[in-house]
Amino acid sequence: MSGYDAERIQVLEGLQAVRKRPAMYIGSVDSKGLHHLVYEVVDNSIDEALAGHCDEIEVVIHEDGSVSVSDNGRGIPVDQHEKHEMPAVTVVMTVLHAGGKFDSKSYQISGGLHGVGVSVVNALSEWATVDVRRGGAVHEQRFERGEPVTPLEEVDDASETGTQIRFKPDGDIFETTEFSFSTLQGRLRELAFLNKGLEISLRDERDGSEETFLYEGGLREFVEYLNENKTPVHDDVIYFEEERDGIEIEVGAQATDEPTGTVHSFANNIKTKEGGAHLTGFKTALTRVVNSYAESEGIVGESLKGQDVREGLTAVVSVMVPEPQFEGQTKTKLGNSEVRGVVEGVVNDRLTTYFEENPDAARAVAEKAAEAARARRAAKKARELQRRKSALESTALPGKLADCQKQEREGSELFIVEGDSAGGSAKQARKRETQAILPLSGKILNVEKHRLDRVLENDEIRSLITALGCGVGDDFDADEVRYENIIIMTDADVDGAHIRTLLLTLFYRHMRPLLERGHVYAAQPPLYRVRCGSETYDVMTEEEREKVVEEKCNGKADNVQRFKGLGEMTPQQLWETTMDPEGRVLKRITVEDASAADRMFSVLMGDKVAPRKQFIKENADEAEWVDI
Ligand code: 0RA
């Protein structure tokens, strides 16, 4: 087999692979994928423009459904390619990954689905042609489904240089082959903003519509365009560009009176929807520079957050990075970590200078941010107020509460029960007239063990506050409490200890008068039930159990049952041992008990690790539920 035949087989295999799995190369075969074909070809001309050899690109939608992309660059080389034994332009048109991805041009566009190469477009086209104006002649070649059907031929004389690639997408591959003027218009306009001085025109021969984009002002004009229907709070767009450490950075920004703002970011002409290193660097520097300006001018007392500074701001950040790494779900997040610091440094320096030279813009941006900060704080206050108010005023009792029939406080009791299963038993066991049951889900409390103000946001705890009816914190009024006895009924295990500590801390910090007036109790469910003949004895501790067996059963009980938890008791047992006012044992919780719980809570939930470890060592039993 000659080298030529081997080469031909390789090319055919490559084209077949693309046609077999087109989505792997262009993302999809819907309208989005279809338009990607155009962007792929345009990207090659933009590369030629970035190299400084091209300033005009023309895109035409033809009547036959094909699209052509022409540029006035140097023209793709037409001389024989040594390795591939065919003209270089034929290599670019037919060999996968040739002419882009793997050679290291200064700013290759190889993010996401871009940069797969013109050969992929060719493979997915019913037909394609390339015309290279170079060396005084027009060189032309035609392809069908990616395969050359003519040799590269000189078809005319040419005085200028340039490349035109025209292709008709294959209807066997694409769901739709109809190009949209407005879709192409949007991306081409964006590319013209991003590449200042580059003229990009779009013509639709189906209806004669036409538009040309050329922006000498780059991102300055992009921001003006974005703010066209908004009200800027300063006249000029903040603008600068700089190359540092091999990275080109261009920024345009202008504050408006809008309630929201947007920072658009791009890397190597690709819109980085997921942001990345360049966006982070920009935001950090922006926040810092506006803060230091506001401070030096006495504009704010408190510091401005990033969100304050960006409120109403329209900004575009564009970077050109030699070897961009695109990450994230949609490969639209710039991963190159070195870019962050470079962008931050450039924006720091240039924005500081800009503010010194343009005090009107600086003042407008800083005052707008200060205004945003004031509004943010006021909104937060209002939310907090509303939250407290609704916690206090909410008259609807929580759905999980099984209230008692008695309306008066005197003689009524609320059992706060750990877990829905024990709650269910308690609801069956209770004396409806005077006893109310509120089950608390242990799991929910366990995940909320961080800060007490967060605990107050917990739905279970809010239910409790509503059931008690006496408010919390500043709104607390002990006279409003709906029950005479508040009985915490938890298991004698780690989770029970956690919930008890949390509840006692809540009472201690936010409803202390309830403790002072003696309203709060802990139920004392027994650990063992000892049977001896017709007698049963419920006991709280192992010592007690031994004593009962020794003294009441003459050393030998008929049966000893260990209660593992409240949920394991029958409603009858729960009533007899824990809830029946005649037989139960309650422990009244004093302020001192609750204060101990509060201290434990503080030590265990606080930021300091050393006292926490010490405390856990000393109180291994009670503190078992804490992660260190
Ligand atoms: C490689 C080398 C040279 C030009 C190009 C690529 C080129 C590719 C495309 C694709 C679309 N338009 C293009 N324009 C140029 C030129 C090398 C030289 O002349 O020295």
Side-chain angles (χ1 to χ4, degrees):
M1 187 158 52
S2 72
Y4 175 81
D5 287 337
E7 187 56 44
R8 199 175 146 77
I9 287 168
Q10 227 187 342
V11 165
L12 291 180
E13 280 174 356
L15 297 177
Q16 257 170 17
V18 175
R19 291 181 60 85
K20 214 170 148 190
R21 298 189 197 286
M24 257 187 61
Y25 295 85
I26 55 160
S28 63
V29 291
D30 55 9
S31 177
K32 198 168 172 198
L34 180 78
H35 289 85
H36 259 298
L37 300 180
V38 182
Y39 307 148
E40 188 57 51
V41 179
V42 170
D43 281 350
N44 287 278
S45 297
I46 299 231
D47 276 358
E48 184 69 357
L50 288 170
H53 301 289
C54 154
D55 62 4
E56 281 173 33
I57 299 173
E58 184 184 49
V59 178
V60 179
I61 307 171
H62 298 274
E63 275 182 285
D64 62 3
S66 66
V67 162
S68 63
V69 178
S70 312
D71 67 54
N72 64 348
R74 292 166 295 179
I76 305 176
V78 292
D79 50 335
Q80 201 69 2
H81 192 284
E82 274 187 27
K83 183 184 150 233
H84 290 287
E85 298 184 298
M86 57 173 108
V89 62
T90 311
V91 175
V92 168
M93 292 299 290
T94 61
V95 178
L96 273 188
H97 298 307
K101 223 174 178 183
F102 298 119
D103 54 27
S104 82
K105 277 188 275 165
S106 53
Y107 296 118
Q108 49 188 312
I109 301 169
S110 56
L113 300 166
H114 299 262
V116 291
V118 187
S119 63
V120 168
V121 177
N122 192 12
L124 299 177
S125 295
E126 188 186 312
W127 58 261
T129 57
V130 61
D131 285 86
V132 173
R133 284 170 291 137
R134 194 178 158 99
V138 180
H139 310 259
E140 189 176 84
Q141 189 169 22
R142 184 178 162 91
F143 308 83
E144 288 176 11
R145 297 186 168 81
E147 292 180 48
V149 291
T150 67
L152 184 69
E153 293 168 314
E154 287 188 19
V155 294
D156 206 347
D157 293 341
S159 53
E160 318 266 281
T161 62
T163 304
Q164 180 185 82
I165 292 169
R166 179 168 172 178
F167 64 97
K168 184 173 186 333
D170 191 341
D172 293 345
I173 302 271
F174 291 93
E175 289 164 14
T176 171
T177 52
E178 181 137 330
F179 285 104
S180 150
F181 184 86
S182 67
T183 300
L184 293 178
Q185 183 186 38
R187 173 60 178 161
L188 296 178
R189 181 193 290 118
E190 185 175 273
L191 281 169
F193 280 129
L194 291 166
N195 298 276
K196 63 180 179 183
L198 174 62
E199 182 182 301
I200 305 179
S201 60
L202 173 63
R203 196 168 78 242
D204 192 340
E205 290 189 340
R206 297 170 304 186
D207 66 0
S209 49
E210 196 172 350
E211 193 160 357
T212 298
F213 309 108
L214 169 59
Y215 306 107
E216 297 293 350
L219 297 191
R220 185 201 308 274
E221 286 191 73
F222 199 170
V223 170
E224 281 168 1
Y225 172 80
L226 293 167
N227 279 349
E228 208 165 61
N229 298 312
K230 298 177 179 164
T231 311
V233 296
H234 54 99
D235 289 338
D236 292 333
V237 172
I238 299 164
Y239 178 83
F240 49 85
E241 60 174 331
E242 184 169 326
E243 185 184 328
R244 192 180 288 189
D245 298 337
I247 298 166
E248 279 179 34
I249 298 142
E250 188 181 354
V251 169
Q254 189 178 38
T256 73
D257 67 355
E258 296 283 311
T260 58
T262 323
V263 183
H264 304 265
S265 68
F266 296 85
N268 293 30
N269 285 331
I270 293 162
K271 187 164 180 72
T272 37
K273 290 197 183 123
E274 296 170 276
H278 55 332
L279 184 62
T280 308
F282 171 76
K283 286 180 175 178
T284 306
L286 175 72
T287 306
R288 178 173 326 135
V289 174
V290 175
N291 258 299
S292 70
Y293 184 86
E295 266 166 44
S296 73
E297 296 295 304
I299 289 173
V300 272
E302 270 185 79
S303 86
L304 305 163
K305 291 195 173 194
Q307 65 191 85
D308 301 327
V309 175
R310 294 192 298 275
E311 187 179 296
L313 187 78
T314 301
V316 184
V317 181
S318 170
V319 295
M320 288 292 191
V321 180
E323 281 176 38
Q325 301 294 317
F326 290 95
E327 300 172 347
Q329 286 254 298
T330 55
K331 294 267 175 281
T332 58
K333 179 177 181 182
L334 183 66
N336 307 55
S337 54
E338 73 280 6
V339 172
R340 182 191 164 152
V342 177
V343 172
E344 198 179 316
V346 168
V347 175
N348 244 322
D349 297 351
R350 299 298 298 265
L351 191 58
T352 301
T353 307
Y354 189 93
F355 278 1
E356 280 164 11
E357 292 170 357
N358 300 272
D360 288 355
R363 177 158 283 275
V365 169
E367 272 172 358
K368 167 80 194 164
E371 177 67 44
R374 274 194 294 277
R376 174 171 56 77
R377 286 192 211 104
K380 189 172 175 229
K381 237 185 207 152
R383 269 200 312 278
E384 277 165 4
L385 216 70
Q386 185 54 42
R387 203 162 40 224
R388 272 199 232 135
K389 223 169 119 189
S390 55
L392 179 71
E393 285 176 355
S394 173
T395 44
L397 289 168
K400 283 171 69 172
L401 173 73
D403 209 357
C404 54
Q405 289 159 346
K406 198 176 199 304
Q407 292 291 309
E408 300 80 20
R409 177 182 331 153
E410 283 69 36
S412 67
E413 305 181 319
L414 174 69
F415 283 87
I416 304 166
V417 185
E418 174 193 359
D420 289 314
S421 133
S425 293
K427 283 179 187 178
Q428 285 184 54
R430 70 185 176 133
K431 191 174 165 195
R432 289 176 157 270
E433 206 206 327
T434 56
Q435 296 184 323
I437 309 294
L438 181 68
L440 291 186
S441 153
K443 260 191 215 134
I444 290 174
L445 289 170
N446 277 337
V447 298
E448 280 286 359
K449 61 185 183 182
H450 293 289
R451 289 177 47 198
L452 200 59
D453 50 347
R454 295 293 302 280
V455 170
L456 288 174
E457 286 173 17
N458 178 297
D459 284 344
E460 300 278 309
I461 296 297
R462 308 251 326 247
S463 292
L464 171 62
I465 293 165
T466 310
L468 290 173
C470 52
V472 69
D474 293 345
D475 301 314
F476 178 80
D477 183 356
D479 292 336
E480 292 289 326
V481 71
R482 297 178 57 244
Y483 307 95
E484 185 176 2
N485 300 332
I486 298 153
I487 303 163
I488 299 170
M489 194 156 83
T490 52
D491 283 333
D493 61 11
V494 168
D495 287 344
H498 173 200
I499 293 174
R500 202 167 50 249
T501 305
L502 190 62
L503 290 172
L504 294 186
T505 305
L506 178 73
F507 284 121
Y508 181 75
R509 291 213 193 153
H510 298 285
M511 308 178 192
R512 196 171 303 171
L514 294 183
L515 295 162
E516 289 163 347
R517 298 180 188 188
H519 287 295
V520 184
Y521 298 86
Q524 304 284 287
L527 219 49
Y528 299 98
R529 168 163 279 196
V530 181
R531 273 185 232 275
C532 203
S534 59
E535 298 292 322
T536 62
Y537 305 92
D538 294 318
V539 298
M540 307 294 303
T541 63
E542 206 159 320
E543 290 86 335
E544 254 187 283
R545 185 201 66 195
E546 282 168 9
K547 205 171 143 211
V548 164
V549 171
E550 196 53 49
E551 291 177 11
K552 310 274 184 183
C553 313
N554 295 321
K556 198 175 180 318
D558 293 326
N559 177 279
V560 177
Q561 183 185 359
R562 186 189 151 89
F563 297 120
K564 288 209 195 74
L566 298 165
E568 289 196 2
M569 291 185 189
T570 64
Q572 179 66 22
Q573 287 172 333
L574 195 59
W575 167 254
E576 286 172 12
T577 62
T578 315
M579 293 173 71
D580 180 2
E582 300 298 325
R584 72 186 181 196
V585 183
L586 292 183
K587 182 183 185 306
R588 176 173 274 155
I589 306 292
T590 63
V591 175
E592 288 69 36
D593 294 330
S595 142
D598 178 70
R599 264 199 310 282
M600 178 157 104
F601 189 90
S602 304
V603 173
L604 297 177
M605 296 299 130
D607 295 323
K608 298 196 182 69
V609 175
R612 180 154 64 230
K613 284 191 173 159
Q614 175 70 18
F615 190 97
I616 288 165
K617 235 201 243 155
E618 286 169 11
N619 302 272
D621 287 346
E622 278 283 282
E624 242 178 275
W625 45 271
V626 178
D627 305 329
I628 299 179

